Amino acid sequence: LTYKKPTKLKNGIYLTATFGYMFLLSVFRFGIGFDYDSYAIILELQKSRLDAGANFFDLSGEGQEAGYVLLENIFAKLNIGYITLFGILAAFMLLSAAVFIYRFSKNVWISTFIYVTLTFFYSTLNYMRQSLALAIAFWAFGFLYKKKDSLKSWILNFIPYAAIIALAATMHKA
């Protein structure tokens, strides 16, 4: 599909099929992944804290960055279960990678192959906060990629880039 005479349409179909399959694997896994149980337990603890009267904007989580705690609080207030949480996060992480590959790769199938074989997909199942931060950072890349013919255009591209990276750092410092 993308090996001989690739087009934007063929690339889109290929990415939809391959990343759609990865999404199904991510959602229908049970107990697979290094952090699977801990994220499920943390979400339930967050629900209990909020039900007991904890402040929604108290972003001090155990070993977690403030942005991820806020995300947990939102999911906890919406009474979303941990499987749905994994589905939403997987959709965001995989969609971010697929859009990144679609926009910036000259060879979509090689980029997808690299995404899987160099353990980026594996990381979405095991190190969710790190992968969430990377997914956010993917959206910043376009600002670095734009042509910068003046100091003003460089600054106007750098500011949203830095803001997106700062947002990513609220999910995981590394």
Side-chain angles (χ1 to χ4, degrees):
L1 193 62
T2 62
Y3 185 69
K4 291 183 181 179
K5 299 179 185 175
T7 64
K8 289 285 189 184
L9 178 62
K10 287 180 179 179
N11 288 344
I13 292 168
Y14 176 79
L15 287 170
T16 300
T18 55
F19 279 83
Y21 179 72
M22 286 185 255
F23 173 73
L24 292 174
L25 281 174
S26 298
V27 172
F28 292 113
R29 67 188 171 118
F30 184 78
I32 297 172
F34 177 74
D35 288 344
Y36 187 91
D37 293 328
S38 62
Y39 282 113
I41 291 168
I42 289 170
L43 180 63
E44 295 305 317
L45 288 172
Q46 206 66 13
K47 285 180 182 180
S48 298
R49 285 185 63 225
L50 291 175
D51 288 344
N55 184 354
F56 180 83
F57 294 104
D58 177 11
L59 303 180
S60 57
E62 293 188 28
Q64 299 172 53
E65 285 76 6
Y68 187 76
V69 174
L70 179 61
L71 197 61
E72 277 183 344
N73 286 349
I74 292 168
F75 288 135
K77 273 295 189 190
L78 294 173
N79 202 26
I80 288 176
Y82 66 92
I83 293 174
T84 305
L85 166 73
F86 292 151
I88 292 168
L89 293 180
F92 177 73
M93 290 183 285
L94 293 170
L95 181 65
S96 297
V99 168
F100 179 82
I101 290 170
Y102 183 79
R103 288 180 62 201
F104 300 110
S105 176
K106 292 179 181 172
N107 197 327
V108 170
W109 74 271
I110 289 287
S111 297
T112 303
F113 178 76
I114 288 170
Y115 181 78
V116 173
T117 58
L118 294 183
T119 71
F120 291 108
F121 173 61
Y122 165 83
S123 293
T124 67
L125 302 175
N126 290 282
Y127 309 108
M128 285 183 15
R129 286 183 302 125
Q130 294 91 322
S131 296
L132 187 58
L134 177 62
I136 294 168
F138 280 150
W139 295 100
F141 185 77
F143 293 103
L144 287 181
Y145 197 69
K146 289 181 181 176
K147 185 178 179 183
K148 297 167 205 65
D149 53 0
S150 69
L151 179 61
K152 181 181 174 183
S153 66
W154 186 87
I155 290 170
L156 290 176
N157 286 322
F158 182 75
I159 290 171
Y161 167 79
I164 293 169
I165 296 301
L167 175 65
T170 68
M171 297 296 160
H172 199 278
K173 293 175 195 154

